[in-house]
Amino acid sequence: MKRILGIMGAMAEEIDEVKTMLVDVKSVEVGGRAFYSGTINGIECVVVFSKWGKVAASITASILIGRFAITELLFVGTAGALAEGLKIGDIVVGQRLVQHDLDARPMIPRFELPLLNRVYVNSDVRLTGLAVRAVSKLLDRGVVQVMGEKNAKEFSIVAPALVLGDIASGDQFVNSAAKRNSILSELPDIQCVEMEGAAVAQACYEFDLPFAVIRVISDTADHNARIDFIRFVREVANAYAKAIVNEMTLLLD
Ligand code: ADE
C-alpha cells in the first residue's frame, strides 16, 4: 500500500511553515479546510490546519482518512505543561491520549470513551518511536539551529527536554492554577494539556490508523498561559513544527 502521511497542525502559523516544504503542492478545500498535498523529503504528505478543539480536530482527521486515504497521521502542536519540571520549549511525544473533560457518569465511568470501553488511546509504537528519534535528532542539533538565538534567549530555552508520556485534551484553554490542579488531581500522570490530540487519537483508533502526537510546551497552563502562548506561537512554534516534520519525514522510508 502506498504511504501517505497526514500532517495536522494545531495552529495556522505552524501549517503555513510546513506548507513551504511541500514539493509539487496542490490544494483542495473540503469542509472549510484547505488540504495541501505534495511530497516532503520524498514522502507523500497531506498537510492541514486542524482547527481548534476536539470536534474540529476529529472532523479534520476523518476527512484526511476518508477523502485523502492517508495511511498514518502525525499531529504537531503546542501544549500547556502540567507535569512538574516541564518548561517552555520542552517537547512531549504522546504515549497515551485521554479526554480530560469527558464525563458520561453515571452510565459510563469518568473519562471512558462511550462504547469503546477505554479511557486512554495508545499512540502507534512504531510511529511514536520514530517521533522520539526525530525529536532527539533535532534537540541534539541545538535550539539555536531550530529557532534562532534571539528566540532561544527571549524564551529562556537552553536545553529542551524530550518526554515520552501521556497527554490530556479538552475543549478548554487551561490558564489557571485551579484548572490545572483539578485536571492533575484526577489524572496525575498527565504531562501536558491541549485541545485536539485525544480527539485525533479516537478517530485514528476507530479507523485503525497509526498516529503520533508531538507537542511543544508553549506555556505552563496557569495565569501566564495566554501571554506566553500567543508569543510562543507567533515566534517559535512554526520553527519547531517545520524542524519536527523535516526530521520525521527523513526517518520514514
Ligand atoms: N495549548 C497550548 N497551551 C494550552 C493550554 N494552556 N491549554 C489548552 N491547550 C493549550
Side-chain angles (χ1 to χ4, degrees):
M1 191 170 49
K2 189 171 75 168
R3 156 179 289 141
I4 306 175
L5 176 66
I7 300 172
M8 285 173 67
M11 301 301 295
E13 292 86 345
E14 294 167 330
I15 286 310
D16 282 346
E17 197 65 37
V18 172
K19 247 165 55 187
T20 66
M21 303 165 76
L22 284 165
V23 175
D24 292 334
V25 58
K26 283 193 203 72
S27 75
V28 184
E29 193 163 319
V30 184
R33 290 137 168 87
F35 293 80
Y36 300 92
S37 309
T39 60
I40 300 177
N41 292 320
I43 302 291
E44 246 186 77
C45 297
V46 184
V47 177
V48 61
F49 168 37
S50 68
K51 296 198 169 177
W52 299 334
K54 294 187 302 174
V55 175
S58 51
I59 291 170
T60 310
S62 304
I63 297 171
L64 276 173
I65 297 166
R67 172 85 177 250
F68 291 90
I70 61 164
T71 54
E72 49 216 304
L73 196 157
L74 173 66
F75 194 103
V76 195
T78 59
L82 289 195
E84 202 60 44
L86 265 187
K87 300 183 304 302
I88 291 178
D90 289 349
I91 301 185
V92 178
V93 176
Q95 201 158 25
R96 301 185 303 170
L97 287 294
V98 56
Q99 297 181 29
H100 68 74
D101 55 356
L102 181 54
D103 188 354
R105 288 175 297 179
M107 285 78 72
I108 297 172
R110 185 85 199 265
F111 306 121
E112 186 172 303
L113 297 169
L115 311 180
L116 297 181
N117 298 320
R118 63 183 54 242
V119 168
Y120 293 94
V121 176
N122 294 319
S123 60
D124 179 66
V125 172
R126 180 192 59 88
L127 209 54
T128 293
L130 288 180
V132 167
R133 277 175 57 201
V135 171
S136 306
K137 275 181 70 182
L138 180 139
L139 296 182
D140 285 349
R141 285 215 315 265
V143 282
V144 172
Q145 268 256 332
V146 178
M147 69 189 74
E149 204 167 330
K150 180 177 155 283
N151 284 327
K153 234 190 196 138
E154 193 173 327
F155 290 89
S156 307
I157 302 172
V158 181
L162 159 64
V163 174
L164 178 64
D166 296 344
I167 297 176
S169 315
D171 285 316
Q172 54 179 274
F173 187 78
V174 179
N175 61 353
S176 74
K179 275 193 212 171
R180 81 192 287 283
N181 291 340
S182 135
I183 297 170
L184 266 181
S185 69
E186 295 183 284
L187 295 164
D189 297 328
I190 295 301
Q191 296 293 325
C192 62
V193 67
E194 37 85 316
M195 298 176 65
E196 296 85 17
V200 170
Q202 182 177 346
C204 288
Y205 176 75
E206 298 205 43
F207 283 101
D208 197 20
L209 195 94
F211 73 93
V213 178
I214 305 178
R215 291 283 185 173
V216 181
I217 300 301
S218 55
D219 60 88
T220 41
D222 55 15
H223 60 282
N224 288 322
R226 200 181 127 264
I227 294 168
D228 290 344
F229 172 73
I230 291 169
R231 285 177 57 229
F232 190 90
V233 166
R234 200 180 299 141
E235 310 288 339
V236 190
N238 48 356
Y240 259 118
K242 187 177 184 180
I244 287 169
V245 168
N246 182 45
E247 293 297 346
M248 192 71 188
T249 47
L250 282 173
L251 287 177
L252 290 168
D253 40 59

